[in-house]
């Protein structure tokens, strides 16, 4: 199987189980040129060493406004592109450093630690709801009732968004994520993303004005107070969108991907202190984020693959986490791995800003799930998402009782 054949399969439908395809790529080395005309990349990088190098090397940039201009001259007519180009996720050099520097001032490890009581409280409230829904033995969709809601409510609490607005926010972010998945390009998808970006921008501009006039105990207030003239309001909006997305979308699939793996290993219930190691292995074994994109800033070479300035490189972090050169028996789930450092959140200047919060949520909430529901089991068939960039579950039915109901007259089997 040629590298182009493998990459075509990944792009067109191999995302249900990409790991055999990644194994085929690893037999070819760490990076390959891409010659398939329908794919937008000049190269694909998938070895752990090569992925780490390209993500840290300033010669490989993210797609910013300068790079977008010759490819899409009318990009400023699209609100989603304008909003994203105003963020650090789509900025390089000094502009990126200026924006990220502001966020690092206020989104600190201490702030993440201070979120722990909120994570515990929100987790408890959501588990109460799951217990209520599943009390009679009915299946509960773990994704809809827990995995989606916990990170959304936590990042909402961090930013200062009202709980009643979270469902609306999620729906808008989903529209933008649909467009970011390059397989879904089309006018209707772009138009929906544009409309979502306009709505989010209006919402955030109003909230920024409120916090400037009356600061609260939340991240937006601190950003407004600390920012001064470092960033514009539209740059704040772009970065708040990216932060919500980074702290929400990836964490959803971390929770979803973790649960089946944990249920297969009941020993973790009696050793909750081992959960950090389990979380790291979930991030390696079935990472939520599988693809990053980089642009060559000049003519260069990457492990023997020549690249011209402006050419795109597909950086396959999902494959890097299964690289047999870096991880022994990479297709085995092993929380006891020594020096387990998955590259799931990226590396270098664009390392995910929400990584510490995602880890904290998983390390706190997953033991609570297992402790609350000792009889938790997977239900009917799960449904995977069909996105290439983010791998996870759209639906993950579970049961949370042993199917015995307590009644006024004694007990009865819930199946009767």
């Amino acid at each position: 199987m040629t590298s182009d054949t493998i990459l075509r399969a990944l792009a067109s439908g191999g995302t249900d189980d990409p790991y055999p395809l990644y194994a085929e790529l690893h037999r070819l080395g760490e990076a390959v040129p891409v010659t398939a005309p329908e794919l937008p990349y000049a190269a694909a990088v998938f070895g752990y060493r090569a992925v780490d190098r390209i993500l840290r090397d300033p010669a490989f940039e993210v797609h910013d406004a300068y790079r977008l201009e010759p490819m899409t001259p009318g990009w400023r007519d699209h609100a989603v592109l304008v909003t994203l180009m105003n963020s650090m996720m789509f900025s390089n050099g000094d502009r990126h450093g200026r924006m990220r520097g502001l966020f690092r001032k206020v989104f600190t490890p201490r702030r993440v630690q201070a979120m722990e009581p909120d994570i515990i409280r929100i987790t408890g409230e959501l588990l109460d709801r799951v217990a209520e829904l599943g009390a009679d033995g009915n299946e509960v969709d773990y994704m809809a009732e827990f995995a989606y809601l916990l990170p959304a409510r936590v990042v909402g609490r961090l930013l200062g968004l009202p709980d009643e607005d979270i469902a609306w926010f999620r729906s808008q972010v989903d529209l933008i994520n649909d467009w970011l998945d390059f397989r879904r390009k089309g006018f209707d998808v772009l138009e929906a993303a544009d409309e979502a970006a306009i709505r989010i921008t209006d919402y955030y501009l109003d909230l920024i004005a409120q916090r400037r006039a009356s600061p609260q105990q939340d991240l937006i207030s601190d950003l407004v107070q600390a920012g001064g003239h470092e960033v514009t309001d539209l740059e704040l909006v772009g970065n708040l969108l990216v932060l919500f997305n980074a702290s929400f979308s990836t964490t959803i699939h971390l929770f979803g991907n973790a649960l089946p793996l944990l249920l297969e290993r009941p020993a973790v219930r009696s050793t909750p202190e081992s959960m950090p190691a389990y979380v790291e292995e979930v991030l390696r074994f079935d990472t939520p984020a599988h693809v990053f994109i980089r642009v060559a800033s000049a003519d260069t070479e990457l492990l023997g693959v020549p690249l011209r300035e402006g050419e795109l490189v597909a950086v396959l972090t999902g494959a890097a986490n299964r690289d047999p050169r870096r991880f022994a028996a990479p297709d085995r789930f092993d929380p006891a791995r020594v020096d387990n450092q998955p590259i799931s959140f990226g590396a270098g200047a664009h390392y995910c800003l929400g990584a510490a919060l995602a880890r904290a949520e998983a390390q706190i909430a997953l033991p609570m799930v297992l402790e609350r529901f000792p009889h938790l089991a997977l239900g009917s068939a799960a449904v995977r998402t069909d996105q290439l960039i983010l791998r996870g579950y759209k639906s993950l039915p579970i049961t949370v009782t042993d199917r015995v109901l307590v009644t006024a007259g004694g007990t009865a089997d819930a199946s009767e």
Side-chain angles (χ1 to χ4, degrees), residues 23-323:
E24 290 289 332
L25 283 176
H26 286 307
R27 294 186 182 98
L28 302 176
E30 295 192 76
V32 294
V34 179
T35 58
E38 70 273 24
L39 298 177
Y41 311 111
V45 178
F46 41 85
Y48 185 97
R49 178 176 64 110
V51 165
D52 185 66
R53 171 187 162 185
I54 197 172
L55 292 177
R56 295 179 187 277
D57 190 343
F60 293 96
E61 301 177 335
V62 298
H63 231 125
D64 60 9
Y66 170 76
R67 296 291 174 189
L68 188 61
E69 188 69 42
M71 297 175 59
T72 313
W75 68 270
R76 289 180 179 83
D77 296 330
H78 295 286
V80 66
L81 286 169
V82 172
T83 303
L84 291 173
M85 292 303 130
N86 270 321
S87 75
M88 67 183 84
M89 184 178 178
F90 293 93
S91 297
N92 295 293
D94 292 343
R95 187 168 188 257
H96 172 267
R98 171 173 57 81
M99 290 188 283
R100 190 174 181 98
L102 170 61
F103 275 75
R104 290 182 66 180
K105 284 181 184 177
V106 297
F107 192 21
T108 61
R110 179 176 295 180
R111 183 181 286 274
V112 171
Q113 186 176 19
M115 290 295 298
E116 290 182 4
D118 289 301
I119 296 171
I120 293 170
R121 174 183 57 81
I122 295 168
T123 299
E125 293 171 357
L126 294 176
L127 294 181
D128 286 345
R129 173 64 175 163
V130 171
E132 179 184 346
L133 293 172
D136 58 358
N138 285 342
E139 288 187 343
V140 180
D141 186 352
Y142 172 81
M143 299 306 297
E145 301 297 338
F146 185 79
Y148 279 97
L149 296 179
L150 177 59
R153 284 184 58 184
V154 168
V155 73
R157 175 70 182 85
L158 172 73
L159 297 178
L161 309 181
D163 282 350
E164 57 269 23
D165 291 350
I166 296 302
W168 175 83
F169 246 92
R170 192 182 84 195
S171 68
Q172 304 309 300
V173 170
D174 284 346
L175 292 172
I176 293 173
N177 281 339
D178 282 346
W179 178 78
L180 285 171
D181 186 343
F182 70 80
R183 295 177 305 157
R184 297 188 176 192
K185 290 296 185 284
F187 180 77
D188 56 337
V189 178
L190 176 58
E191 184 178 36
D194 280 339
E195 292 170 355
I198 290 170
R199 290 188 288 266
I200 288 175
T201 297
D202 289 344
Y203 181 98
Y204 270 138
L205 287 175
D206 182 60
L207 191 57
I208 289 167
Q210 292 179 36
R211 295 299 189 263
R212 185 169 283 125
S214 179
Q216 306 294 317
Q217 297 296 317
D218 57 46
L219 190 71
I220 291 179
S221 296
D222 289 351
L223 286 167
V224 169
Q225 298 303 308
H229 299 293
E230 292 182 43
V231 298
T232 67
D233 283 0
L234 289 178
E235 286 175 336
L236 268 182
V237 169
N239 284 293
L240 289 170
L241 169 61
V242 166
L243 179 59
F244 186 94
N245 196 40
S247 302
F248 165 65
S249 299
T250 304
T251 314
I252 290 168
H253 298 306
L254 171 55
F255 277 111
N257 294 351
L259 189 66
L261 293 168
L262 296 179
L263 292 179
E264 291 173 0
R265 294 158 179 86
V268 71
R269 292 181 182 271
S270 59
T271 57
E273 68 277 6
S274 67
M275 189 57 71
Y278 273 81
V279 169
E280 290 308 296
E281 182 66 348
V282 171
L283 287 168
R284 185 202 68 82
F285 185 81
D286 199 6
T287 186
H290 278 237
V291 184
F292 295 164
I293 307 299
R294 290 296 184 265
V295 185
S297 64
D299 292 352
T300 187
E301 182 181 86
L302 180 67
L303 297 180
V305 179
L307 293 166
R308 295 193 300 270
E309 179 186 358
E311 289 187 324
L312 302 183
V313 180
V315 183
L316 305 183
T317 50
N321 282 333
R322 294 286 191 103
D323 185 351

